[in-house]
């Protein structure tokens, strides 16, 4: 993350409400004010060079109001101008070495905001060379009038000043970089906090969507259970009642048989309602194998329609409960549709495992229909949903007058780990 991307100054840093940067801003002002104070008062005399030195310090101070932060050329030009405002007055003896000490310190502080670490080190070295060169080349008094001991002390004092200046610059560099690292860490923490809030909002929205989707899926599942179970039973009961009415006057015994079967189906419908409302997650096979459940379903179908169905079931593998339930419901719904609409005389049910797939087909020789005009039935939709939920697909083949064939293909490899 780029920390600074626009022109800044200590003033703009203070606007960020960091107490440490406010303290550094006050320190810069104090250093610049001290430089002016030393130029004006410490010589204890007025000279023509005084205004030039004060003007150089004032110009140097005004440059701190805006620092270049984008283009490298602007940064280099800015730094060269700063060095010029220090070197030119100092070489013309209009700026004291004491002020050079303070201005170079401010220059290094500003470089921490402008340059990266390598650029900061270059500015530090140049500042040290500037101050050291000016201090060593500017004797306090003519050395011809000083004894050797005082001359030696003078050089020791200069070297001590250079060493002190070096330590001061290094300390300032390390301190400001530590503050900048702290500021960057706080900004990153604030950004992470904002991103976390955004993520939390998105998660809440996703949770609501998932809840709505789960509610919709559960409603569809309940509807399928009621339609496939109760619908089948009520359809069969309706057929038995119609048969009862048909034979009521011509064959009382047969009508009574149909009526008893309708009564049994009514009781079964009540039981199916209870199961659908209270045990929707239970297995409709009730502990039976899929083969036994389908065979019983076909026996009931034969008793209801007087059609003897053909059945072939070959499942070498034990399937999960969810798969058995889905296949049973698909067969049940198909037989219900045949009872209600097909007017068939022959029905064939095949359930086989072959080549890594489970194939289920229910075929009749009824009147058929046009699939493009009859695709909105809830039963057919439920069968498709059950197939897709298991990673398979359902195909419907039918034409008017040629019967209907429903085929389901499920991948056996996925079902065994379902």
């Amino acid at each position: 993350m780029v920390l600074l991307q626009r022109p800044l100054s200590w003033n703009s840093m203070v606007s960020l409400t960091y107490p440490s940067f406010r303290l550094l801003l006050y320190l810069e002002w104090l250093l610049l004010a001290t430089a002016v104070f030393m130029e004006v008062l410490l010589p204890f005399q007025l000279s023509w060079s005084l205004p030039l030195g004060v003007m150089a310090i004032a110009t140097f101070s005004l440059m701190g109001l805006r620092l270049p932060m984008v283009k490298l050329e602007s940064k280099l030009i800015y730094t060269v101008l700063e060095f010029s405002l220090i070197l030119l007055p100092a070489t013309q003896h209009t700026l004291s070495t004491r002020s050079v000490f303070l201005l170079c310190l401010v220059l290094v502080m500003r470089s921490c905001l402008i340059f990266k670490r390598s650029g900061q080190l270059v500015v530090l070295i140049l500042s040290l060379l500037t101050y050291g060169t000016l201090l060593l080349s500017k004797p306090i008094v003519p050395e011809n009038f000083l004894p050797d001991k005082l001359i030696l002390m003078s050089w020791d004092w200069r070297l001590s000043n250079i060493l002190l200046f070096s330590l001061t610059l290094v300390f300032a560099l390390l301190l400001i970089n530590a503050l900048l690292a702290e500021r960057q860490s706080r900004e990153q923490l604030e950004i992470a906090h904002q991103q976390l809030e955004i993520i939390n909002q998105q998660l809440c929205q996703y949770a609501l969507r998932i809840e709505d989707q789960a509610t919709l899926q559960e409603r569809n599942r309940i509807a399928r259970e009621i339609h496939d179970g109760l619908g089948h039973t009520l359809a069969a009961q309706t057929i038995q009642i119609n048969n009862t009415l048909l034979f009521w006057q011509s064959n009382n015994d047969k009508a009574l048989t149909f009526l008893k079967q309708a009564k049994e189906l009514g009781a079964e419908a009540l039981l199916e309602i209870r199961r659908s409302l209270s045990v929707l997650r239970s297995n409709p096979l009730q502990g039976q194998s899929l083969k036994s459940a389908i065979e019983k379903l076909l026996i009931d179908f034969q008793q209801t329609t007087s059609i003897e169905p053909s059945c072939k079931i070959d499942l070498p593998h034990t399937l999960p409960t969810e798969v058995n339930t889905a296949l049973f419901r698909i067969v049940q719904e198909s037989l219900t549709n045949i009872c209600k609409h097909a007017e068939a005389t022959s029905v064939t049910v095949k359930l086989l495992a072959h080549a890594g797939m489970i194939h289920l087909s229910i075929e009749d020789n009824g009147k058929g229909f046009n699939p493009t005009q009859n695709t909105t039935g809830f039963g057919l939709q439920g069968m498709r949903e059950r197939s897709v939920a298991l990673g398979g697909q359902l195909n419907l083949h039918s034409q008017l007058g040629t019967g209907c064939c429903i085929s389901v293909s499920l991948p056996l490899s996925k079902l065994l780990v379902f």
Side-chain angles (χ1 to χ4, degrees), residues 9 79 135 161 192 298 320:
S9 66
T79 305
L135 187 63
N161 274 344
L298 293 175

Side-chain angles (χ1 to χ4, degrees), residues 326-334 360 362 383 386-387 408:
L327 292 174
F328 176 82
R329 290 302 193 191
I330 292 174
V331 174
Q332 187 182 52
E333 173 61 22
S334 299
L360 169 65
I362 305 98
M383 288 190 287
R386 292 182 186 276
S387 303
V408 178

Side-chain angles (χ1 to χ4, degrees), residues 34-54:
T34 303
V36 174
F37 175 80
M38 289 189 299
E39 290 296 321
V40 175
L41 299 180
L42 287 189
F44 301 108
Q45 61 180 1
L46 297 176
S47 65
W48 65 270
S49 61
L50 178 60
L52 296 179
V54 174

